[in-house]
Amino acid sequence: MSWTWGYGTNGFTDHPLPAALDVLQHHGYGAVALTLGHPHLDPFAADWRAQTQALAADLRRRGLRVVVETGARYLLDPLRKHRPTLVDREAGSRMAFLRRAIEIAAVLDADCVSLWSGVVPDDVSVDQARVLLEERLLELTAFAADASVTLALEPEPGMLVETVADALALRARLGHPANLGLTVDLGHCVVVEPAGVVGALRAAGGLLRNVQADDMLPAAHEHLPFGEGELDLDAALSTLREIDYAGVIAVELPRHAHAAPELARASMAALVAAAERTATAGAAGGGDSAGEGPRSSAESSAARISSAPGAGPAGAVGGGVSAGGGPRSLAESSAARISSAPGAGPAGAAGEGIRPGRAPVLRRALRPRNLLRSRTRGPAGTPLDHPRHRADTDGCHPRPAPVRLGGARGGARPLSAEPFAPTADDAARAAIIATLADSGADPAVAVALYRRGDDAERRGVLRGLDALAAPAAAWREAGLELVVDALRANDTRLVAAALGTFAAEHLDDHAWRHGVLKCVFLGIPLSVVSGLEVRADDELAAMAERFAAERRAAGRPVPDDLLLLRARERA
């Protein structure tokens, strides 16, 4: 096995921590999931650092891995369970707790800090909760990155982030932070995951940083010992083998502390038996996945590739399938039409076009005087229908003709001295996009040029959207998809290009406000934001105020542009 069996200390609340560790080692566990708070490690104790350093030395001596859990029930409010959360209006104590958890994880050299979103309170709308969560997670991921700590967001039944698909979508909106992964509770999958435990784990793929193990019944979010619910433990472990999971799998039975030693023994027996069954089945069946026929190595690793850290959202470079097999993006659903768009020319073998989920390199020159030309000859002068060029890397699928969005000669120079000013290349590419739109071309052409383009080409497409005075509905839909995608990135030039006149006129309030705050977070001057004077509102000022307060609480400087946003509203 590549993973390590663990057990959560929230199931040992009647044991002092050293005694709990003794029991776990006695039953063969190699890891502990440490829930901060009473009675084991008070994160707000005056000597918390000394206690943590002593615990780190003890864990090293015992050879135990550790993950830090933050589900303490009444640590922050003795009257309200788990409150406040990251989606409450006032969450100062929750943010302080999570920052301290990150500091403790750094001392312990923990695999990760596991955290969750929270249940949306009555006085907060879902849209407001999303804004609050995104602001605070941006702050926490930055704080954790400074401490070299990994965070793992756990979907919880009934919370704002309830499923793996919710967590992946949130991570994409945040720009795919490299140090933000996922926690998956196997029991939760029985209750809320549409594709069950196998689908949830495959969707998490290479982003999975922490696994909690327990049984559950479909109708109730209640952690049960193995065998008392409907979890297919064998299928779960088979899938974890399939995605090469190498972290901690920790039993989570927080309401069973009265029988902790016996349940630790029984849980280990159940886990080992399931692991042995799945290992035997895998060896006998040639690596077939649970409940399915044989899968090729490319198929079995597809989920890992598409969701690996930094891989980008589904439908970005390389395509891919969105978590849970949901609706495809405009780029994916339109890809097959790209080869037959006006002026596109041939695209490999007849009828194939561009296949969603593949990654053809669209890099051929696309000049203002020759808008879209397909390459008709290979590198050695052979026609593209020659067998040498007909197959993709697996030797089976035709490769579409490469296309590229070119620029202007000497076009890397900015056209003005303003920060993030467009370059001559940007202007040339923008003219191409505007000409395509004016000529009635399929917007899938622009989507493909953005999706398969380099950073400069993507900026050119975004600048081209700004040149569209009254875009047709299809172009508006495609443009919004690309602007939202750009605002997920951490490339400052791309984010700056995304907040032009097209975004000012067409982007919804939630996404636009989030983009403005992202500029502040990335150090992009607000002078790049088109329409700021018109669209700035009370909600944006309130977001800026919360962001500033949280930075002060963390001892971090408050950017001048945050003060500008607040002063604008006061004026």
Side-chain angles (χ1 to χ4, degrees):
M1 296 176 300
S2 56
W3 58 73
T4 303
W5 302 124
Y7 204 102
T9 60
N10 60 358
F12 269 86
T13 52
D14 292 330
H15 287 67
L17 184 55
L21 298 179
D22 288 342
V23 174
L24 295 183
Q25 281 196 295
H26 174 75
H27 289 304
Y29 290 92
V32 59
L34 174 65
T35 294
L36 300 180
H38 313 299
H40 294 139
L41 179 60
D42 181 356
F44 298 120
D47 63 341
W48 71 269
R49 186 174 294 277
Q51 288 188 46
T52 304
Q53 290 169 341
L55 176 58
D58 189 28
L59 293 173
R60 286 194 299 270
R61 179 180 61 80
R62 295 173 183 268
L64 292 176
R65 294 173 71 173
V66 60
V67 297
V68 173
E69 297 283 353
T70 57
R73 290 173 178 163
Y74 293 100
L75 177 67
L76 305 181
D77 187 329
L79 297 177
R80 301 182 304 160
K81 180 181 176 183
H82 292 317
R83 303 289 294 276
T85 74
L86 290 174
V87 295
D88 280 278
R89 289 189 180 277
E90 300 298 330
S93 60
R94 172 64 57 177
M95 292 294 288
F97 171 49
L98 292 174
R99 284 191 290 268
R100 179 58 51 82
I102 290 167
E103 292 175 314
I104 288 172
V107 175
L108 295 178
D109 193 23
D111 283 24
C112 65
V113 173
S114 185
L115 71 168
W116 32 253
S117 61
V119 176
V120 179
D122 293 338
D123 64 339
V124 176
S125 71
V126 171
D127 284 343
Q128 290 172 329
R130 288 197 183 101
V131 172
L132 292 170
L133 179 61
E134 289 166 17
E135 292 173 15
R136 289 159 179 169
L137 278 178
L138 281 172
E139 178 76 19
L140 290 169
T141 52
F143 187 85
D146 290 342
S148 299
V149 169
T150 295
L151 303 181
L153 182 65
E154 180 189 0
E156 283 264 4
M159 292 192 178
L160 179 63
V161 177
E162 186 174 52
T163 66
V164 167
D166 293 339
L168 293 174
L170 171 61
R171 187 176 182 275
R173 293 196 300 273
L174 297 177
H176 305 278
N179 66 329
L180 179 62
L182 272 67
T183 291
V184 171
D185 186 302
L186 303 182
H188 294 173
C189 298
V190 177
V191 179
V192 295
E193 291 293 346
V197 68
V198 172
L201 292 174
R202 285 181 180 166
L207 292 174
L208 191 59
R209 298 289 177 266
N210 183 33
V211 172
Q212 297 168 353
D214 49 78
D215 212 337
M216 211 164 282
L217 293 168
H221 178 196
E222 181 181 355
H223 294 242
L224 301 173
F226 298 119
E228 295 185 14
E230 295 186 13
L231 172 68
D232 188 338
L233 184 58
D234 288 17
L237 297 185
S238 292
T239 309
L240 289 169
R241 290 182 192 276
E242 173 191 313
I243 65 174
D244 296 333
Y245 178 67
V248 171
I249 301 177
V251 177
E252 170 116 308
L253 294 173
R255 299 181 182 178
H256 294 75
H258 61 283
E262 173 55 26
L263 281 173
R265 182 202 63 76
S267 298
M268 176 60 79
L271 291 168
V272 169
E276 290 175 349
R277 286 193 302 271
T278 56
T280 302
D288 297 0
S289 56
E292 296 187 357
R295 293 162 49 120
S296 69
S297 59
E299 291 172 322
S300 64
S301 62
R304 297 196 301 274
I305 295 170
S306 62
S307 60
V317 176
V321 180
S322 59
R328 297 186 301 172
S329 69
L330 176 66
E332 293 171 319
S333 61
S334 304
R337 303 198 304 271
I338 296 172
S339 60
S340 59
E352 278 293 323
I354 297 177
R355 292 160 44 103
R358 305 194 64 79
V361 184
L362 302 180
R363 292 287 192 272
R364 185 58 174 164
L366 179 57
R367 307 293 181 184
R369 65 179 180 273
N370 185 13
L371 293 182
L372 198 60
R373 292 175 60 186
S374 64
R375 180 186 293 181
T376 57
R377 304 195 70 79
T382 54
L384 276 185
D385 60 358
H386 189 279
R388 175 175 172 182
H389 308 294
R390 191 176 299 150
D392 206 334
T393 52
D394 58 7
C396 299
H397 301 293
R399 174 178 294 166
V403 180
R404 179 163 182 154
L405 182 62
R409 291 182 180 177
R413 294 188 299 272
L415 295 177
S416 77
E418 294 296 320
F420 298 95
T423 64
D425 273 347
D426 290 341
R429 290 170 175 136
I432 295 170
I433 297 300
T435 303
L436 286 170
D438 290 343
S439 67
D442 190 329
V445 177
V447 172
L449 292 169
Y450 176 91
R451 293 294 188 192
R452 276 74 177 184
D454 59 23
D455 292 341
E457 290 166 330
R458 291 184 173 200
R459 292 196 304 274
V461 174
L462 295 171
R463 300 289 188 189
L465 296 175
D466 292 341
L468 307 183
W475 275 87
R476 181 180 180 276
E477 179 186 357
L480 287 172
E481 178 185 327
L482 299 185
V483 167
V484 170
D485 181 83
L487 290 177
R488 294 167 178 160
N490 286 322
D491 181 334
T492 54
R493 294 176 299 172
L494 197 65
V495 172
L499 287 171
T501 56
F502 182 88
E505 294 172 3
H506 301 291
L507 196 60
D508 67 84
D509 290 340
H510 168 76
W512 185 83
R513 294 186 195 113
H514 179 77
V516 174
L517 274 191
K518 185 156 189 176
C519 283
V520 177
F521 185 79
L522 294 177
I524 303 169
L526 292 183
S527 59
V528 308
V529 181
S530 295
L532 183 63
E533 293 289 344
V534 175
R535 292 198 62 173
D537 57 11
D538 291 341
E539 181 59 29
L540 180 60
M543 291 165 61
E545 178 63 44
R546 291 191 294 268
F547 193 6
E550 288 169 5
R551 290 185 73 87
R552 290 192 199 96
R556 300 167 68 87
V558 178
D560 291 340
D561 277 349
L562 275 181
L563 303 177
L564 173 66
L565 288 177
R566 295 160 55 215
R568 186 188 310 275
E569 286 312 303
R570 285 197 296 270

